[in-house]
Amino acid sequence: MVTIRHETREDIDGIRAVNEAAFDTNAEAQLVDNLRQSNANVISLVAEQDQQIVGHILFTRVTIEPDNSSFNALALAPLSVLPQYQNQAIGSALVRKGLQIAQKAGYSNVIVLGHPAYYKRFGFVPAEKYQIHCPYQVPPETFMVKPLIPNALDDITGMVLYHPLFSNM
Ligand SMILES: CC(C)(COP(=O)(O)OP(=O)(O)OC[C@H]1O[C@@H](n2cnc3c(N)ncnc32)[C@H](O)[C@@H]1OP(=O)(O)O)[C@@H](O)C(=O)NCCC(=O)NCCS
């Protein structure tokens, strides 16, 4: 039985281990640690099973250039599940819980850079549908957004800006 809950201080090593195992390099694990140290983590959830951290999801603030205070948005990144626990709906549970918490907290949008086939099941749509642009050179369909309130992006135009630590990736 998997439990999804907020990160605590005791989870830090487990989160690092999950990110190191899920990704090809330690870059994501280091990014998560650096973001935490910079107090950039807005929502950080873990999936716990049998007293082990088996999954992790992080949401940090993004802004837009030119600045627009109506763009009250989070970026979902990274998301990771230990290889031996993948394809058991743990990633999905982390995404759904995170989106629910973000919506309750009053955020209007969540941005993600990832696999369209995976994220569209949660209601993410290509951001190119709107007037918001990705700061990185990526295939356009991989930059997605999920509005959490109706018409959240109607009057928003510009370049989405991630926390500067993402630029080191
Ligand atoms: C991506 C990841 C978090 C998904 O977690 P998970 O617990 O395995 O996912 P779920 O069990 O909720 O969902 C499984 C579905 O995701 C799909 N999926 C898994 N990894 C995928 C990927 N990299 N690209 C596209 N689809 C993927 C599976 O094919 C499966 O599809 P189906 O439901 O149509 O059969 C996990 O595979 C992982 O940690 N991967 C390595 C790190 C990574 O790439 N993170 C994502 C960065 S965008």
Side-chain angles (χ1 to χ4, degrees):
M1 159 95 179
V2 175
T3 306
I4 309 293
R5 59 168 178 77
H6 287 280
E7 161 190 322
T8 68
R9 200 175 294 185
E10 288 69 40
D11 300 324
I12 290 175
D13 289 346
I15 291 171
R16 185 170 184 91
V18 168
N19 281 300
E20 285 177 348
F23 291 99
D24 294 339
T25 73
N26 290 349
E28 284 79 5
Q30 195 58 50
L31 173 67
V32 170
D33 283 346
N34 292 344
L35 287 165
R36 185 186 296 108
Q37 269 170 19
S38 303
N39 293 319
N41 297 359
V42 177
I43 303 168
S44 180
L45 303 177
V46 294
E48 186 179 41
Q49 185 165 318
D50 302 327
Q51 285 150 11
Q52 185 188 7
I53 303 303
V54 299
H56 174 247
I57 193 169
L58 183 62
F59 295 81
T60 54
R61 249 336 234 117
V62 280
T63 55
I64 198 150
E65 182 66 43
D67 192 29
N68 186 333
S69 57
S70 310
F71 187 68
N72 183 19
L74 297 176
L76 184 176
L79 166 66
S80 54
V81 173
L82 280 181
Q84 61 272 37
Y85 287 87
Q86 290 176 7
N87 291 308
Q88 297 172 33
I90 295 172
S92 297
L94 284 163
V95 173
R96 293 208 167 90
K97 186 73 179 176
L99 293 174
Q100 202 181 67
I101 293 170
Q103 187 170 36
K104 270 197 192 149
Y107 290 98
S108 51
N109 297 283
V110 174
I111 302 289
V112 75
L113 197 47
H115 302 279
Y118 187 66
Y119 288 104
K120 78 175 183 194
R121 69 191 70 194
F122 310 110
F124 283 91
V125 295
E128 62 186 352
K129 184 174 170 210
Y130 300 100
Q131 296 305 309
I132 60 169
H133 309 290
C134 184
Y136 310 115
Q137 297 282 346
V138 293
E141 67 277 10
T142 62
F143 186 58
M144 292 164 273
V145 61
K146 180 176 166 73
L148 298 175
I149 55 173
N151 309 319
L153 287 164
D154 278 3
D155 298 317
I156 309 282
T157 308
M159 175 86 78
V160 174
L161 299 180
Y162 281 70
H163 190 283
L165 284 168
F166 279 90
S167 306
N168 303 334
M169 289 291 294

